[in-house]
Amino acid sequence: MFIQDVTPLGSLGLSALVAVLPLATVLVLLGAVRMRAHHAALIGLLVALVVGIAAFGMPIVQAVSGALSGAAFGLWPIMWIVVNALWIYRLTVRTGHFDVLRRSFGRISDDPRIQALIIAFCFGALMEALAGFGAPVAISAVMLVAVGFHPVKAAVVALVANTAPVAFGAMGTPVVTLAQVTGLPLEQVSSIVGRQTPLLALVVPLLLVIIVDGKRGLKDTWLPALVCGVAFGLVQFLASNYVSPQLADIGAALAGAAALVALPQTRRPVPEAVRIGGSTGGTATAEAPPEDSRNDVVKAYLPYLMIIVIFSVAVLPPVKKLLDKATWKFHWPGLNVAAPNGKPVSGNTFSLPFLNTGGTLVLLAGIITTALLAVSASGAVSEWLATVKELRFAILTVTGVLALAYVMNLSGQTSTIGTFIAAAGAGLAFLSPVLGWFGVAVSGSDTSANALFGALQVTAANKTGLPADLLAAANSSGGVLGKMVSPQNLTIACVAANLPGEEGKLLRKVLPWSIGLLLVMCLIVWGQSTPVLSWMLP
């Protein structure tokens, strides 16, 4: 048995300095060297292995085995969800129904401020719920440009909108990962995150109309923005606390869109100056979009409705119990790790759910979609393989980051950093969202940030007497605000909006929003750690 030691080098400060090397390596390679994310992740993994073995005394076999365990978790369930969700999107593009869906959104309102809410905030949240990992930013930016937005504005709107739904994105993968690496119950983590991120949903729609049309946008459309945000936040809170984290964003996205559509002000005609100034910057076209048949519109929405139905059925207690039977839980070969107190860590065991996992349920929805959209079996298979090829570097990045996180957690590097940070005392509650923000800014993924820092937050919380579940949740809630400044997401936005090499320009535009919202989240978490806002917690 390998027993973790938080001070392997004798000094806690020196041990923490060495323990942070893998993270520092990834940061420098991504931020300063501008290395591609999958290369940085793999080099960071190598550094984590060297530190874990040489400095923390982890046996070589156990260190390598821990890395393989993390990589396996990155493949299943994380990338299994992403691949199948993006496959469904590709099927709709192949059949032309994605364009039908885009035109359907455009006909709800010709006001670019409302279009930003519908496409970037609501539909983007739905795509975040189904796929995450950059897909919402890419798809929203493409759609905004297609309805007439200036490319830079489209990219900024898509990036800022991709915040409130991120913690429950990809069928709840970030909070599932957080529960996995911290050993906290999923329901507990989901409940607290669901009492933090909905507050962002109240603010982000208002920011979007300001970004699109400045003070005039806020003055004219504050009511639709507020109604959309309230509906989104309320349903996200209810679903994450009382239904299922996997359905939180799906329900919230649909509620926000429904609230917008139901509001008469949404369909109010807008002056031409607002339409052109707010979106295209003077390049509007008078060409009317083609009329789509009701049958085509229904088919365009069917794939997403199928996913909602399938996931809704899957969470019913009898069905969930049946699906759970097809889960393989086993002791991961080569791992025998104990915490400093001598108790075995949760990372020794690996759970492999074959049926009750988001990826398999989305795959089922995709198979049904194939039949509904009349896609041939060979065409569907070729699109699935093309999706895997398109995501090959994302797969390497996620597996590399998760492998790095597992090595750091199992070798004790994370515990050492957490013990050192615990010196912040009560101030840690204010700083905990910053760790999550930093992790997402580096990795581009709230899932990866939770894997990197989730256990660290719990360790630090235990040392300071703060609630471990609050700080763990704060890691995810703070992390969502780092997504818009992540180099990977900035690149995705540039590619989608056809802005080659403009990442720096986009960063300068979104960084103030990211920092401002992060400060708000820090204050919320600090308040929840004190009697001021502790009543908000379950």
Side-chain angles (χ1 to χ4, degrees):
M1 176 179 286
F2 167 66
I3 300 178
Q4 297 172 345
D5 182 3
V6 295
T7 55
L9 302 178
S11 160
L12 178 60
L14 180 59
S15 299
L17 184 63
V18 173
V20 85
L21 284 177
L23 296 178
T25 300
V26 174
L27 174 64
V28 171
L29 292 179
L30 281 178
V33 182
R34 298 188 179 182
M35 182 178 287
R36 300 187 71 174
H38 60 283
H39 289 152
L42 294 175
I43 294 174
L45 168 61
L46 180 61
V47 174
L49 286 168
V50 171
V51 171
I53 294 166
F56 282 76
M58 191 176 194
I60 295 175
V61 172
Q62 294 215 46
V64 172
S65 182
L68 293 175
S69 175
F73 184 70
L75 291 174
W76 192 293
I78 295 177
M79 291 312 297
W80 179 235
I81 297 171
V82 179
V83 167
N84 290 321
L86 287 183
W87 172 54
I88 290 181
Y89 162 70
R90 288 182 67 100
L91 290 175
T92 63
V93 172
R94 181 187 181 100
T95 59
H97 288 92
F98 178 74
D99 288 331
V100 176
L101 187 68
R102 175 181 55 78
R103 288 192 290 268
S104 173
F105 290 151
R107 289 190 179 96
I108 294 174
S109 173
D110 63 349
D111 188 331
R113 301 162 298 191
I114 302 298
Q115 289 174 341
L117 296 176
I118 294 171
I119 295 173
F121 188 73
C122 296
F123 185 68
L126 184 59
M127 291 308 301
E128 180 67 40
L130 304 180
F133 296 94
V137 170
I139 296 168
S140 296
V142 167
M143 292 180 72
L144 289 171
V145 171
V147 297
F149 272 64
H150 186 280
V152 172
K153 192 165 287 186
V156 172
V157 167
L159 285 165
V160 174
N162 190 221
T163 48
V166 168
F168 297 102
M171 299 304 177
T173 300
V175 290
V176 170
T177 303
L178 185 61
Q180 173 88 7
V181 300
T182 59
L184 296 170
L186 174 60
E187 296 77 14
Q188 190 175 345
V189 172
S190 171
S191 177
I192 297 180
V193 174
R195 294 162 192 250
Q196 294 170 342
T197 58
L199 298 175
L200 294 177
L202 303 180
V203 178
V204 171
L206 296 170
L207 296 184
L208 295 180
V209 298
I210 292 174
I211 291 170
V212 172
D213 197 29
K215 293 180 180 178
R216 179 177 61 185
L218 182 62
K219 180 182 176 183
D220 293 349
T221 54
W222 68 268
L223 181 59
L226 189 60
V227 167
C228 176
V230 168
F232 184 101
L234 180 61
V235 172
Q236 190 185 59
F237 160 71
L238 292 173
S240 60
N241 275 266
Y242 305 111
V243 184
S244 162
Q246 287 86 350
L247 294 176
D249 279 350
I250 293 177
L254 294 177
L260 269 177
V261 172
L263 196 67
Q265 188 173 343
T266 297
R267 294 179 295 279
R268 184 182 301 168
V270 294
E272 183 70 8
V274 172
R275 187 175 68 83
I276 294 178
S279 60
T280 65
T283 60
T285 175
E287 183 181 347
E291 287 293 328
D292 298 306
S293 69
R294 178 171 294 183
N295 184 49
D296 279 339
V297 173
V298 170
K299 284 185 175 180
Y301 284 92
L302 270 177
Y304 307 103
L305 293 176
M306 285 307 309
I307 290 174
I308 294 167
V309 170
I310 289 171
F311 272 83
S312 300
V313 172
V315 297
L316 296 174
V319 179
K320 187 177 185 301
K321 187 177 180 181
L322 185 64
L323 296 176
D324 279 338
K325 289 183 178 180
T327 299
W328 182 24
K329 290 186 178 180
F330 59 96
H331 187 99
W332 187 267
L335 279 184
N336 189 15
V337 180
N341 60 10
K343 295 182 179 179
V345 299
S346 59
N348 290 329
T349 345
F350 195 86
S351 180
L352 202 60
F354 293 105
L355 297 181
N356 195 19
T357 182
T360 302
L361 299 177
V362 172
L363 177 65
L364 176 59
I367 293 171
I368 297 173
T369 297
T370 298
L372 293 175
L373 301 186
V375 180
S376 66
S378 61
V381 171
S382 68
E383 288 294 341
W384 193 89
L385 294 174
T387 303
V388 174
K389 182 179 179 181
E390 179 184 340
L391 290 173
R392 63 192 184 277
F393 295 127
I395 291 171
L396 276 176
T397 301
V398 171
T399 53
V401 169
L402 265 295
L404 178 152
Y406 269 54
V407 171
M408 290 189 66
N409 290 345
L410 291 168
S411 66
Q413 296 173 59
T414 301
S415 297
T416 297
I417 299 171
T419 304
F420 181 75
I421 290 178
L428 182 62
F430 182 85
L431 295 175
S432 58
V434 179
L435 277 178
W437 180 91
F438 172 78
V440 176
V442 171
S443 68
S445 161
D446 199 38
T447 298
S448 298
N450 286 342
L452 288 170
F453 294 127
L456 183 153
Q457 297 272 19
V458 170
T459 301
N462 291 335
K463 295 291 182 181
T464 57
L466 290 166
D469 50 4
L470 173 62
L471 296 201
N475 192 82
S476 196
S477 298
V480 307
L481 301 170
K483 196 143 189 179
M484 68 179 84
V485 297
S486 157
Q488 294 93 312
N489 268 3
L490 290 170
T491 300
I492 288 170
C494 284
V495 171
N498 194 23
L499 295 166
E502 296 291 331
E503 286 89 349
K505 184 175 184 179
L506 291 185
L507 177 62
R508 289 190 295 273
K509 287 183 175 292
V510 299
L511 185 59
W513 300 117
S514 179
I515 298 297
L517 289 171
L518 176 62
L519 178 59
V520 171
M521 183 56 66
C522 289
L523 291 172
I524 290 171
V525 174
W526 173 80
Q528 290 177 335
S529 72
T530 70
V532 177
L533 294 179
S534 60
W535 54 267
M536 293 178 63
L537 300 179

